[in-house]
Amino acid sequence: ERCREIDDRYAEADALNLLGLAMLRQDRAAHAAELLHQSLALCREMGHRRGEIDALLGFGETLLARGQAEQALAHHAAALDLADQTGARYQQACSHHGLAHDFTALGEHLEAQNHLSEALKIYTELAVPEADLIRAETSRRSV
């Protein structure tokens, strides 16, 4: 609301994205999808490519949580395409991570492993904590 009052559309798009992710964490996927859709539309309208990637990633997560793995895969793949175009390494890793979950849900475990490996490689290069999360995820899968 405050972002609209001061007419900061970038902040509004980011706020919608964050609120959508918060709704997803509270198991309110339908509301999350609405907010993320608004964020995505606003980012596209403004040409805010990195915001668009974040909204696609969040929307992909939401779709996967709703059991719509094929649609989630389409959103994560679109996020990866944009991240590749913009050179956004962290978002590339997030996209690969999302794709790994999508392919796992679809039963395509080799493809999932390929994306998980790519996510780990990038997260490690960036020295971010997500690399440890992937290592833990990988060790659980091999048990």
Side-chain angles (χ1 to χ4, degrees):
E1 190 67 29
R2 179 75 177 123
C3 298
R4 287 185 186 135
E5 288 174 15
I6 61 172
D7 197 31
D8 187 340
R9 295 173 58 90
Y10 285 92
E12 181 182 350
D14 290 341
L16 288 166
N17 187 49
L18 291 172
L19 285 170
L21 293 174
M23 292 295 107
L24 180 59
R25 301 295 178 267
Q26 295 175 5
D27 292 325
R28 296 173 61 191
H31 192 212
E34 290 174 31
L35 293 166
L36 290 161
H37 181 72
Q38 290 175 38
S39 176
L40 181 59
L42 190 54
C43 288
R44 284 180 172 161
E45 180 183 314
M46 294 184 303
H48 180 26
R49 309 262 295 180
R50 294 212 178 189
E52 183 177 349
I53 298 166
D54 288 338
L56 285 165
L57 289 168
F59 207 30
E61 268 189 69
T62 302
L63 289 164
L64 188 60
R66 295 175 81 178
Q68 299 170 313
E70 288 184 14
Q71 293 91 337
L73 190 140
H75 283 76
H76 286 132
L80 180 58
D81 284 344
L82 282 176
D84 286 344
Q85 290 171 26
T86 59
R89 296 291 287 154
Y90 180 77
Q91 291 169 313
Q92 287 171 338
C94 293
S95 299
H96 281 292
H97 200 179
L99 286 164
H101 288 278
D102 302 336
F103 280 114
T104 297
L106 293 168
E108 297 183 36
H109 300 291
L110 181 58
E111 194 67 30
Q113 185 56 48
N114 291 339
H115 283 284
L116 200 58
S117 295
E118 191 61 29
L120 176 59
K121 176 182 153 204
I122 297 169
Y123 284 144
T124 301
E125 288 171 5
L126 296 174
V128 294
E130 287 85 340
D132 292 331
L133 294 172
I134 298 246
R135 286 186 195 96
E137 200 174 315
T138 304
S139 68
R140 280 194 309 270
R141 288 180 185 200
S142 62
V143 172

